[in-house]
Amino acid sequence: EIALNELEYQRNKVSLEIENLLYELNQYFRQIRHFRNNALPQAETLLHTALIQLNTEEIDYTQYLQSISLAIQIKTEYYKVIHDYNQTAIQLEIYGN
């Protein structure tokens, strides 16, 4: 009976872990969708606008670098979310086997 209780405990523990991982995966997916629909296009616009303004001398090099840095930061955050999504998916795969 003790062994059966331990087995049931472990099953519940795994079930809860899978449920938490699915929740995390869904959260990461929403973040990825936000980046693709909003943040990444804004980053591209920022890059494009900064380059045009630099070429037409509307901004100085420091302002240009600030714009480029912000765009790179947005893209870096996007890649981190993708990494976290993939790591969570891998963990789910482990539980699936």
Side-chain angles (χ1 to χ4, degrees):
E1 191 171 314
I2 292 173
L4 287 174
N5 284 340
E6 179 64 25
L7 177 64
E8 187 63 28
Y9 170 78
Q10 292 300 327
R11 283 183 181 163
N12 288 337
K13 186 177 172 183
V14 168
S15 178
L16 183 61
E17 182 66 24
I18 290 171
E19 195 174 309
N20 287 336
L21 288 170
L22 287 170
Y23 177 79
E24 283 181 41
L25 197 69
N26 191 36
Q27 292 297 104
Y28 289 133
F29 179 76
R30 287 181 183 156
Q31 290 177 12
I32 289 169
R33 190 173 54 210
H34 166 73
F35 273 102
R36 288 184 178 165
N37 293 337
N38 300 308
L40 291 177
Q42 289 174 353
E44 288 302 317
T45 300
L46 188 61
L47 289 170
H48 181 72
T49 303
L51 183 59
I52 290 172
Q53 289 176 332
L54 181 68
N55 288 336
T56 59
E57 299 179 359
E58 292 178 31
I59 60 173
D60 64 19
Y61 195 67
T62 305
Q63 292 170 314
Y64 172 74
L65 286 178
Q66 288 173 343
S67 295
I68 298 300
S69 294
L70 180 57
I72 290 171
Q73 181 182 359
I74 291 169
K75 289 183 178 192
T76 301
E77 290 172 14
Y78 169 67
Y79 294 132
K80 183 189 177 312
V81 171
I82 288 178
H83 175 266
D84 292 344
Y85 178 91
N86 288 337
Q87 291 302 311
T88 304
I90 289 169
Q91 287 179 313
L92 275 170
E93 282 293 317
I94 291 169
Y95 281 107
N97 291 329

